[in-house]
Structures are given as structure tokens and as C-alpha cells.
Amino acid sequence: MARKLLLEHINVPGINTLDVYRQKGGYRAVEKALKTLTPDEVVEEVKKSGLRGRGGAGFPTGMKWSFLAKPEGVARYLVCNADESEPGTFKDRYLMTHIPHALIEGMIVSSYALGAKTSYIYVRGEMMPQIRILERAIAEAKAAGFLGKNILGSGYDLELYVQPGGGAYICGEETALLESLEGKRGNPRIKPPFPAIAGLYGCPTVVNNVESIAAVVPIINDGGDEYMKIGIGRSTGTKLISASGNLVRPGVYEIELGLPVEEFIYSDEYCGGIANGKRLKATVAGGSSVPVLPANLTLKLANGEPRLMSYESLSEGGFATGTMLGSGGFIAFDEDQCIVRNTWNFSRFYHHESCGQCSPCREGTGWMEKVLHRLEHGHGKMSDIDLLVDVSKKIEGNTICPLGDAAAWPVASAIRHFRDEFEWHVKEPVKSLQGNYGIADYAVPIAKAEVKQEN
Amino acid sequence: MLKVEEQQPVEFSSALIAKCDEISNRYPEGKQKSALLPILHEVQAELGWLSSNAMDKVAAYLKIEPIEVYEVASFYSMYFLQPKGKYVLEVCRTGPCCLVGAEKLMEHMEKSLGVKEGEVTADGLFSWRGVECLAACGYGPVLQIGPEYTFYENLDNQKVDTLIEELRKK
């Protein structure tokens, strides 16, 4: 059984309440940090742990914290990014729904480390039930003396608020999130200056994902050195993976980084294989913005070794044969799924969610969506395929924020690995109009039994 | 798109104003514009949609220009700038939900409700629309209904029909 740090008590009845959460060891990290550690020592533990940002970018959290400017007399802020809306990713929603105090405890410890007196959890507006859950939990924590003035007699004050978003994927980008928190449209800011220098209200600010902040709790409880022992190489600790698509058991799983992808898909402890006895055709490993991989490259590296769930192993080979761990949004496509149709769907998403500030993204995402739509609906030309590659190249790297890259990579990678299927749509327009699902030859048949034998 | 039309004057209830005051206190002095998104949610929950009169009132309350409210309200997908049905059924239409049947579910809803996406039923009760990823990809197809954004997971045609019937009886 894999070690669990965040979801260990997920099935305990009432774990969403302060009492049960404390019975299971909750708020020990707050007591330990505020009573026995200086803020710098907390930062040091997080640095030692090797924790990398769990929102997608994978930047070392402790290092990000140490960049925070600390001018005298200026407020500092911690903002939690709970604007989860990357297709394929639903782990933060799960964590907030079931163990809200894990996030709140992490917020208190992290705010203490950064010297923030006011912190905000920016939750996507659609998650109104989760907003209510967090508000209730914050009230409980405040009544118990974990928030407010002079917390646990330490002299440290902290106010924590939940801020609802308005329904915009772009607000998951940290500078767009700050703009939105200031009551504006979610247009990303040009960096530098980075939020660590000029963030919320122009003050030094750290923006961290829900899962990163929750992970600070076990790091403080057990020490950064202990956390670092879990995982593999520079991918330390555990990671929440949201699994969706054509799987026997989709859902949120906590894995130790370094788990073989094959075991994650096929073992009974995790996803239990591909639904309806089908074969695996392709995956998206880290949310819709990362490159799609065909089944064979999902399971094995180019040199034949097993691919692992880790930052390094998933990106092995660059974008030619690899992808990214991203936010941990794992989507599996079975042999009946049409790659062109799914690429079109993702393209529509990015077109809809582009903030419109940069021309390459605003115009390019719409262009890609249109071309993919006509390919999928039997009106495509062979030249459309290269046109898509060309447009994606012109978006990538040419925008203020990474949404442009996120829109370009799925299209470019789908054509890189599944070009035959795009050509099939041009050659067989009638079949594609009839809802035929492209080419199944990419699928890799792996029986559950074989995996068990290997183990 | 903002639609300019003749609108009824609006009044905010005292409960709504108290809520706006509570929200405004979450931010440092002078940064009350931060309250804009949460306040728009509260106003929409009370009035059903955001008319320009309602938005002007929000601008006056926060002491900002009306255009600052319009540009925010028109940017985010959750704010309705035109009247809508009492219940707006929002179905996730993004990749993972489509892998497990969201598109077919939307076709079914169009038939069940007898209106196209974005339209309101004759009795004023229902609208429906496809929305982008709702972060519940493992439990699709899913839909949500405001203003509390009640969530329904693992849907099929029959479950949606039952839900519509229950809402009709309310």
C-alpha cells in the first residue's frame, strides 16, 4: 500500500470537521510552527523537502518562498490558487470538499512562514459548495484560536478569506488571478516584476496551489528530510492524480512520485485498467494543456524502460517522445476515441478561455478551433494539417502568459503522434461525418494479468 | 455582449447590503474594488441576472465607474447580462466529460426541455447551456445549477429527466 500524506484520513467520517480533523492529528503543524520554529525555519524545512509546485509548473516551493521581498512597513500576502479548471484536473476540488482543514492548516503555517497577516483563498466561482465548506471550516478554526489575533499566544495574527472567481480558466494563471482578486478582468500581467516583488495591491505576494499548501502540513509535522525520502530523484513526496476518461475506476488518487504509469493505469489499487475491456489508445498525463502521448510512449520510454509518474520521467525525451506531469490530470482515451475530435474539443476550450489580450492567442486559438472543426466534420483539406502545425508554432512562446502554449501543445502533439488519423479524416470525410472514430491501430493491448505477473 | 434595453429600477434588500458590507471588510482600506466579483455573485443570486441598472448600483456602492463593473461582468462566464430561466442547467462539455457522453446528454436535454442552448422555456423556468471544464472530470457527465451551484454527477438521460421533473414541482 502506498504511503499517503494528504488523503490518509479521507474516509474517516466527519474528517471535514475541526474536531475529527484534530483527533487525527490535525493542527499539530500549526502548533509546532508557531511555538517552536521561526518563519525562516519553516521556509528552510519546505526547501529541504524538495516540494515542487503542484499546480502544474513544478517550480520548487521553498525557493519560490525565499524570493519574497520583505521591505519594511509593506504588507505581504499569501494567495492560494484554488481556481482549478484545467480539463482533466479535479484533485483540489476533492481535497477542499473532503478535508478543508488540511488546506486551512497549510495556509496558516505558510502565511506564518511568509509573514503574511492577511491571506486569500481564490476559489473558482463555480465551486460554491466548496466555498461554503471552506467558510465553515475557517469559522471553526477561528473559534478554536487558530486564526485571528495572537494565534495560540504566539503573537502572530492572521485573517483568512475565501474569494470566489467569476468563471474564467485564465484566472488560474497567477498574475491573472491577482488582477481578478483586485476586482478586474483576469488579464495576465507582464513579468517581471514577479508577484514575489509586486503582487497583490503591488505588495510582495506568493501564489501557491491548494495541493502545494496542503503538503506543507506533513512537511512541518515530519520534517523536510522525511518528505524528501518519499518519491524519486527531484520528484519528492506524494502527488494527487485526478484520473478521468475511459478508465474502470476514475477518481483522485494519491501516489508516491515514481510509480510506473502502467501500474497506475492497470493495477487494482488505482484505475483498474481501461473500461469495457477496451485497449488504451492515448493519454494526457498532466491536464489538457500538456502534449498528448500515444499508448506505447505513455507506458515506455523511447529506450524501452518503463515510464514513471514523475516530473522527469514524464518529460523524458522532450516533446518528441514525452510530455509533462503538469497538474496531475490524467486522461485516458480508449481505442474507440477519435483524436481529431478530442483535439478539436480542447481547442474550443482554449479559444473560449483566451483572455484576448495577446493577438497570437486570441486569433490563433480561434483559427485552430475552426480548422479542427472542419477536419472533424468532413470538410478538411490535406493542407489543413500543416496549417495547424504552423499556427500552433506561431502561438507558442509569443504570448504574455502560458495559455498560448497550453493551446498550441495539444494540437502540435496530436499531429506529431497521430498524423495518420488527421489524414484519414480528409480521405474519409463521409465516415468521419457519420461519427466514425478514426483509427484504432494506435492502441496498445495490455491485459491486467500481464501487469500483475510483472509485479 | 451588453444589451441596452429599458429596464426596471432595482432595489437591493437590506440583507444584500449587509452582505456587501461584510464582503468589503475583507480587503485593506482603499482596496474595496476587490469586492466586485463576490458582490456581483450576491446581486445576481438575489435578482437573477445583472441588468445595467443593477451594475450601476454596484458601481455607486463601491465608488467606482460603471464601466469598471461592465467590463468585469462581461469578461467572466458566470454573470448573466440578460434574463434567464429560473434554473440554468449548465452541462460540462469539455474533453473528459465528452469521453463519457456529455454531448449526447446535451442533445437529450434540448429535446426534453424543448429549447435550444441559451433559450428560456415558455414558463420561464429553465435554460440550459454547455460550459467549459467544471473540475469533476472523473464523475462525468456533470451539470450544475446556480445560484448555489448544486452539482450533479455521473448523469444519464433518465437522471436528467428526473431532475427536471423535480425542479418543475418545486
Side-chain angles (χ1 to χ4, degrees):
Chain A
M1 202 57 147
R3 192 163 160 194
K4 290 189 172 36
L5 300 178
L6 300 178
L7 303 185
E8 189 184 355
H9 304 298
I10 193 87
N11 292 322
V12 175
I15 193 70
N16 59 333
T17 63
L18 183 83
D19 286 348
V20 178
Y21 182 72
R22 287 189 76 181
Q23 280 163 25
K24 291 291 166 191
Y27 286 94
R28 272 189 302 136
V30 171
E31 302 213 15
K32 184 174 174 182
L34 269 58
K35 288 181 177 168
T36 69
L37 300 172
T38 65
D40 285 346
E41 284 168 341
V42 177
V43 175
E44 204 47 45
E45 287 303 320
V46 176
K47 265 188 177 171
K48 265 196 257 174
S49 74
L51 174 70
R52 294 167 69 172
R54 301 301 197 217
F59 191 81
T61 303
M63 201 185 293
K64 190 174 188 177
W65 286 11
S66 64
F67 292 154
L68 188 74
K70 294 180 177 172
E72 284 294 313
V74 176
R76 275 167 271 170
Y77 292 101
L78 171 66
V79 177
C80 172
N81 184 345
D83 191 61
E84 185 175 58
S85 38
E86 169 93 349
T89 311
F90 49 102
K91 64 188 176 70
D92 295 342
R93 177 176 179 264
Y94 184 80
L95 190 77
M96 291 187 288
T97 307
H98 298 286
I99 325 181
H101 284 288
L103 172 60
I104 293 165
E105 183 174 11
M107 285 297 288
I108 299 167
V109 175
S110 307
S111 299
Y112 171 70
L114 298 166
K117 299 285 172 71
T118 308
S119 296
Y120 298 96
I121 306 175
Y122 183 101
V123 186
R124 68 179 299 192
E126 289 96 334
M127 291 190 191
M128 210 55 90
Q130 284 69 29
I131 289 171
R132 302 285 179 248
I133 289 168
L134 286 173
E135 283 174 340
R136 202 159 49 232
I138 287 172
E140 278 186 316
K142 194 164 182 174
F146 292 114
L147 282 167
K149 293 266 176 224
N150 192 19
I151 300 170
L152 305 178
S154 65
Y156 175 62
D157 308 335
L158 176 67
E159 291 298 335
L160 180 59
Y161 299 108
V162 180
Q163 174 86 354
Y169 168 74
I170 188 60
C171 292
E173 195 280 335
E174 61 177 3
T175 61
L177 186 150
L178 294 174
E179 285 286 296
S180 181
L181 182 46
E182 291 180 4
K184 296 179 248 172
R185 298 170 78 113
N187 286 350
R189 299 173 181 171
I190 292 172
K191 294 191 276 192
F194 289 88
I197 307 297
L200 185 64
Y201 310 129
C203 300
T205 303
V206 165
V207 183
N208 279 146
N209 176 257
V210 170
E211 189 187 345
S212 315
I213 289 172
V216 170
V217 175
I219 289 171
I220 294 306
N221 280 333
D222 305 335
D225 289 332
E226 278 303 304
Y227 192 84
M228 203 186 63
K229 287 179 193 160
I230 307 167
I232 186 166
R234 286 177 53 235
S235 297
T236 63
T238 65
K239 174 90 188 79
L240 298 182
I241 305 288
S242 352
S244 64
N246 308 119
L247 293 163
V248 172
R249 277 196 307 280
V252 177
Y253 297 97
E254 183 170 8
I255 61 155
E256 288 184 30
L257 285 165
L259 177 80
V261 176
E262 191 164 331
E263 195 179 329
F264 180 69
I265 299 175
Y266 291 100
S267 86
D268 286 330
E269 192 180 340
Y270 301 104
C271 304
I274 307 304
N276 305 315
K278 304 268 186 194
R279 300 179 302 162
L280 177 68
K281 179 175 183 178
T283 60
V284 166
S288 67
S289 58
V290 309
V292 61
L293 280 188
N296 56 345
L297 286 176
T298 299
L299 303 170
K300 304 266 188 235
L301 300 174
N303 66 8
E305 285 176 20
R307 197 182 287 275
L308 311 177
M309 302 285 265
S310 76
Y311 292 93
E312 289 76 20
S313 184
L314 281 166
S315 58
E316 173 78 28
F319 284 176
T321 58
T323 181
M324 291 163 78
L325 177 64
S327 58
F330 192 95
I331 312 170
F333 302 86
D334 73 23
E335 57 192 302
D336 291 343
Q337 298 301 338
C338 172
I339 294 296
V340 180
R341 189 168 186 82
N342 279 290
T343 310
W344 162 52
N345 188 301
F346 283 155
S347 251
R348 186 191 58 203
F349 173 82
Y350 288 104
H351 180 210
H352 184 266
E353 300 296 341
S354 172
C355 81
Q357 192 177 199
C358 312
S359 311
C361 177
R362 181 186 64 239
E363 305 301 324
T365 52
W367 200 357
M368 290 199 299
E369 186 202 333
K370 260 186 215 165
V371 175
L372 283 160
H373 182 272
R374 72 178 181 231
L375 272 167
E376 167 61 14
H377 291 78
H379 308 295
K381 296 176 284 193
M382 252 343 152
S383 59
D384 282 345
I385 302 168
D386 285 330
L387 176 64
L388 282 170
V389 174
D390 189 46
V391 175
S392 75
K393 275 188 189 149
K394 287 187 169 120
I395 301 173
E396 188 182 347
N398 291 320
T399 53
I400 289 174
C401 86
L403 190 134
D405 298 345
W409 291 339
V411 177
S413 59
I415 295 173
R416 187 183 309 128
H417 297 299
F418 298 93
R419 195 174 186 107
D420 290 357
E421 190 156 324
F422 284 83
E423 289 177 358
W424 181 88
H425 273 254
V426 180
K427 289 178 200 156
E428 302 282 359
V430 179
K431 282 188 188 167
S432 51
L433 269 174
Q434 287 166 344
N436 250 315
Y437 286 138
I439 299 171
D441 294 347
Y442 291 103
V444 170
I446 291 200
K448 244 194 314 192
E450 287 176 39
V451 177
K452 278 188 178 160
Q453 253 176 7
E454 279 178 19
N455 291 341
Chain B
M1 193 64 78
L2 272 180
K3 199 173 162 190
V4 180
E5 54 188 46
E6 208 172 312
Q7 289 163 0
Q8 299 297 316
V10 292
E11 282 304 321
F12 290 174
S13 71
S14 53
L16 177 59
I17 292 168
K19 185 74 192 167
C20 293
D21 292 345
E22 187 260 304
I23 292 170
S24 300
N25 285 331
R26 297 173 188 174
Y27 314 98
E29 196 49 44
K31 305 295 180 191
Q32 269 55 44
K33 193 182 171 188
S34 279
L36 181 51
L37 272 73
I39 284 179
L40 288 178
H41 281 303
E42 297 294 336
V43 172
Q44 179 164 288
E46 178 160 302
L47 302 176
W49 66 294
L50 298 174
S51 62
S52 49
N53 281 347
M55 289 191 279
D56 290 350
K57 239 179 150 55
V58 172
Y61 174 83
L62 286 174
K63 301 189 179 67
I64 56 179
E65 293 300 322
I67 183 68
E68 294 179 77
V69 181
Y70 303 160
E71 64 181 12
V72 162
S74 61
F75 179 83
Y76 296 94
S77 64
M78 291 178 74
Y79 301 121
F80 294 99
L81 304 185
Q82 283 169 42
K84 56 184 177 60
K86 183 177 176 192
Y87 304 109
V88 184
L89 279 55
E90 298 184 320
V91 187
C92 177
R93 58 171 186 176
T94 309
C97 275
C98 284
L99 288 182
V100 289
E103 284 160 326
K104 289 209 167 63
L105 190 78
M106 287 197 285
E107 281 170 24
H108 177 76
M109 281 175 62
E110 186 170 337
K111 277 188 211 135
S112 282
L113 292 170
V115 288
K116 288 198 184 314
E117 185 170 3
E119 293 175 354
V120 185
T121 53
D123 55 11
L125 272 185
F126 296 101
S127 319
W128 71 276
R129 65 173 185 172
V131 292
E132 296 301 346
C133 189
L134 292 180
C137 318
Y139 326 110
V142 294
L143 72 75
Q144 63 182 8
I145 305 172
E148 276 304 309
Y149 292 88
T150 324
F151 223 78
Y152 300 87
E153 298 172 345
N154 296 312
L155 290 170
D156 55 34
N157 293 352
Q158 205 189 341
K159 284 183 193 168
V160 166
D161 288 343
T162 311
L163 174 65
I164 291 169
E165 272 319 301
E166 280 170 8
L167 290 171
R168 240 186 216 127
K169 284 181 202 152
K170 261 193 183 175

